[in-house]
């Protein structure tokens, strides 16, 4: 039975001890249920994947020609089919001639563009990013936090220093970004500008404008604009993002941004399409490198995506079907957090209008304990600290919840457990700290 709780700071020692006792016995009861639930990664559920089953029968025998008559079965077509670039141009905010279509993973594109920048430099580079001389420090990236662990893993893998900057609810703290970007060793920034992973926030137009126009110490600074959730709305309101490619061009920094997106969470996470969009110079640079890597991408998959989704309306209709499956799961998590933790002062959480995650800030110094408590009660959570560079959350506070994959019933059960663990960890932490005098 859930205990209705006052603000934890209002409890005297006796109340706190009795609360702890109640929560512990409730927790032990949960543990005895031998649950096996997983809220770790933002994967589409089987029902979401089923929405794209129509793709599996496409393009169909004899349907392998593009609109321009290219044989999609063959080599070639490095930039991707025009009709595919046209269909997804709304997701990238770029004209079809500024887009390249790749294989299924945008993360692979981000990885490869970083490696190419390190080895060869990008348009505007005086030297490859990895060239360090006595005057220069190792390259660094600005990392808005909490952020996407796999972005940080790429930096860690290649020795790129990571400079955390707090997110504000509307994008990164731009004062701090601008100050850091003035250093010539700072080569880029990771941005998930819409329904950010994990906070769900959407960058304000002013933030996008400042990123496009700010002074950078490195002439070859790049904004890695990972628009992974551009059409992934959880409400009827489809948030719009300012167009960073246009703003960069207008600010006289046409080459500043690399835009990435994919259909991993539109069609099939393991068999979708990934996209790169940028200025003409950057696109030429990208295609020159990609042309050494492949003789041409999978154009049958490009063709089947166009045949299946048809046009921009079709894309949005398909995303509405995802929303119908996802929104109740997000609502269930938020309802559990609110009913258990509302008014207690032990946690705050995001209420995203899109994307795949809910970010919870538990009481400082308790996130690791919460993850352990949840694990012992049969609920797997993303490791505490994962949303920070090198896995180190200096406040030990942020938890990332990913409700997409489990069934709605499992999301409900897992959310109860997580809320209880957050409260129990806070009560135990609080009782080990000085508290106000007895009433
Ligand atoms: N970017 C962000 C922000 C993500 O959250 C994810 C997956 O969770 C990805 C990229 C992975 O994209 P892809 O499947 O295209 O490699």
């Amino acid at each position: 039975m859930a205990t209705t709780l006052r603000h934890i700071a209002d409890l005297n020692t006796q109340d706190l001890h009795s609360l702890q006792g109640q929560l512990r016995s409730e927790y032990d009861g949960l543990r005895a249920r031998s649950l096996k639930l997983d809220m770790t990664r933002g994967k589409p559920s089987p029902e979401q994947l089923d929405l794209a089953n129509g793709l599996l029968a496409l393009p169909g025998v004899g349907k392998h020609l593009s609109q321009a008559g290219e044989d999609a079965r063959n080599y070639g077509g490095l930039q991707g089919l025009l009709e595919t670039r046209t269909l997804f141009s709304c997701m990238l905010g770029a004209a079809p001639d500024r887009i390249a279509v790749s294989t299924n993973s945008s993360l692979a594109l981000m990885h490869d563009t970083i490696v190419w920048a390190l080895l060869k430099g990008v348009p505007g580079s005086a030297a490859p990013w990895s060239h360090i001389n006595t005057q220069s420090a190792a390259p660094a990236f600005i990392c808005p936090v909490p952020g996407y662990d796999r972005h940080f893993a790429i930096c860690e893998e290649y020795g790129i220093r990571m400079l955390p900057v707090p997110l504000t609810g509307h994008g990164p703290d731009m004062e701090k970004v601008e100050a850091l970007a003035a250093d010539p060793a700072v080569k880029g920034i990771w941005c998930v500008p819409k329904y950010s992973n994990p906070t769900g926030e959407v960058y304000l137009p002013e933030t996008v404008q400042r990123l496009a126009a700010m002074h950078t110490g490195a002439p070859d600074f790049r904004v890695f604009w990972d628009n992974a959730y551009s059409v992934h709305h959880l409400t009827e309101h489809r948030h719009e993002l300012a167009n960073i490619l246009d703003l960069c061009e207008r600010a006289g920094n046409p080459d500043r941004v690399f835009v990435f997106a994919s259909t991993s969470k539109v069609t099939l996470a393991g068999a979708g399409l990934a996209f790169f969009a940028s200025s003409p110079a950057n696109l030429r640079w990208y295609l020159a490198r990609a042309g050494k890597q492949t003789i041409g991408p999978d154009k049958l998959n490009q063709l089947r995506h166009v045949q299946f989704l048809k046009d921009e309306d079709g894309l949005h209709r398909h995303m509405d079907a995802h929303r119908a499956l996802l929104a109740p799961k997000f609502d269930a998590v938020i309802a559990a957090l609110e009913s258990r933790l509302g008014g207690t002062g032990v946690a705050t959480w995001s209420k995203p209008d899109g994307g795949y995650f809910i970010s919870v800030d538990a009481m400082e110094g308790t996130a690791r304990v919460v993850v352990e408590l949840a694990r012992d009660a049969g609920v797997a959570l993303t490791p505490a600290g994962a949303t920070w560079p090198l896995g180190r959350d200096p406040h030990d506070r942020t938890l990332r919840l990913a409700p997409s994959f489990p069934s709605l019933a499992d999301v409900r059960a897992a959310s109860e457990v997580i809320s209880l663990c957050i409260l129990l960890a806070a009560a135990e932490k609080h009782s080990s700290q000085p508290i106000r005098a007895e009433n």
Side-chain angles (χ1 to χ4, degrees):
M1 243 273 294
T3 318
T4 320
L5 192 64
R6 286 178 284 149
H7 197 288
I8 201 155
D10 291 338
L11 301 180
N12 63 32
T13 318
Q14 206 182 357
D15 290 342
L16 202 51
H17 285 155
S18 96
L19 172 68
Q20 256 179 270
Q22 283 173 44
L23 295 173
R24 262 285 155 194
S25 71
E26 197 182 332
Y27 175 76
D28 290 341
L30 274 181
R31 269 205 338 181
R33 284 169 57 193
S34 305
L35 298 170
K36 206 169 175 319
L37 306 170
D38 190 336
M39 296 268 274
T40 54
R41 295 231 68 103
K43 287 200 300 189
S45 64
E47 296 74 26
Q48 286 180 267
L49 297 173
D50 284 346
L51 297 174
N53 275 345
L55 274 178
L56 302 178
L58 295 169
V61 177
K63 303 275 176 51
H64 51 265
L65 294 184
S66 74
Q67 282 166 12
E70 299 141 292
D71 188 335
R73 299 169 303 179
N74 217 332
Y75 276 142
L78 189 61
Q79 192 175 347
L81 302 178
L82 178 59
E83 54 265 48
T84 312
R85 289 183 275 125
T86 304
L87 167 58
F88 291 105
S89 131
C90 64
M91 248 170 57
L92 291 136
D97 63 343
R98 303 268 175 106
I99 297 173
V101 193
S102 182
T103 51
N104 70 312
S105 166
S106 63
L107 190 68
L109 285 176
M110 295 175 234
H111 172 276
D112 289 354
T113 44
I114 293 246
V115 172
W116 295 336
L118 286 167
L119 291 175
K120 304 196 65 92
V122 295
S125 293
W129 286 6
S130 58
H131 279 203
I132 305 169
N133 58 38
T134 44
Q135 279 91 51
S136 61
F141 256 57
I142 300 167
C143 299
V145 283
Y148 180 37
D149 50 352
R150 294 185 192 273
H151 288 162
F152 303 154
I154 295 175
C155 286
E156 190 178 351
E157 177 76 6
Y158 296 106
I160 297 173
R161 291 179 294 128
M162 289 179 269
L163 311 171
V165 161
L167 284 161
T168 62
H170 310 286
D173 179 333
M174 284 307 297
E175 302 280 316
K176 294 202 166 72
V177 169
E178 284 159 353
L180 289 169
D183 176 349
V186 174
K187 293 294 196 182
I189 179 171
W190 289 112
C191 294
V192 184
K194 195 161 174 186
Y195 309 137
S196 198
N197 175 354
T199 63
E201 66 199 77
V202 182
Y203 287 20
L204 282 177
E206 299 91 275
T207 308
V208 184
Q209 166 63 28
R210 281 172 81 169
L211 285 163
M214 69 185 177
H215 164 73
T216 62
D220 53 351
F221 183 98
R222 288 293 181 278
V223 176
F224 277 62
W225 198 249
D226 178 2
N227 207 358
Y229 300 108
S230 63
V231 290
H232 305 57
H233 316 282
L234 286 167
T235 72
E236 278 177 19
H237 177 60
R238 294 176 183 162
H239 285 262
E240 292 287 341
L241 194 61
N243 188 311
I244 194 162
L245 282 164
D246 289 349
L247 291 173
C248 284
E249 199 163 318
R250 265 186 254 147
N253 300 313
D255 299 332
R256 173 161 298 177
V257 62
F258 288 167
V259 177
F260 302 92
S262 78
T263 67
S264 291
K265 287 159 186 157
V266 175
T267 54
L268 300 174
L273 301 171
F275 308 95
F276 173 86
S278 201
S279 65
N282 284 337
L283 192 67
R284 277 195 301 278
W285 171 87
Y286 166 83
L287 290 172
R289 314 277 85 72
K292 303 291 177 296
Q293 191 181 51
T294 176
I295 311 172
D298 177 352
K299 293 167 300 300
L300 283 178
N301 203 22
Q302 297 182 20
L303 210 48
R304 70 169 69 93
H305 272 75
V306 176
Q307 291 169 358
F308 179 65
L309 293 169
K310 296 194 170 56
D311 52 23
E312 196 178 327
D313 279 349
L315 171 64
H316 289 302
R317 270 198 307 278
H318 191 75
M319 295 315 292
D320 286 345
H322 281 287
R323 174 159 66 88
L325 293 169
L326 282 172
K329 296 183 181 178
F330 279 74
D331 291 346
V333 177
I334 287 165
L337 292 169
E338 259 158 20
S339 91
R340 192 76 213 232
L341 305 176
T344 64
V346 306
T348 55
W349 50 90
S350 60
K351 292 176 192 149
D353 285 345
Y356 264 62
F357 301 97
I358 291 169
S359 182
V360 180
D361 275 349
M363 181 182 277
E364 178 132 358
T366 64
R368 274 175 209 283
V369 175
V370 170
V371 172
E372 280 165 25
L373 285 168
R375 183 200 58 211
D376 293 348
V379 177
L381 291 181
T382 310
T387 57
W388 280 72
L390 307 174
R392 292 189 202 135
D393 172 0
H395 311 286
D396 186 23
R397 179 171 69 192
T398 304
L399 299 161
R400 186 184 80 173
L401 307 184
S404 57
F405 188 78
S407 68
L408 182 56
D410 282 359
V411 169
R412 285 202 184 103
S415 305
E416 295 293 327
V417 175
I418 294 162
S419 306
L420 173 65
C421 294
I422 291 171
L423 193 51
L424 176 58
E428 296 195 337
K429 169 98 179 159
H430 208 70
S431 65
S432 68
Q433 288 171 355
I435 51 174
R436 74 182 185 81
E438 304 284 319
N439 286 329

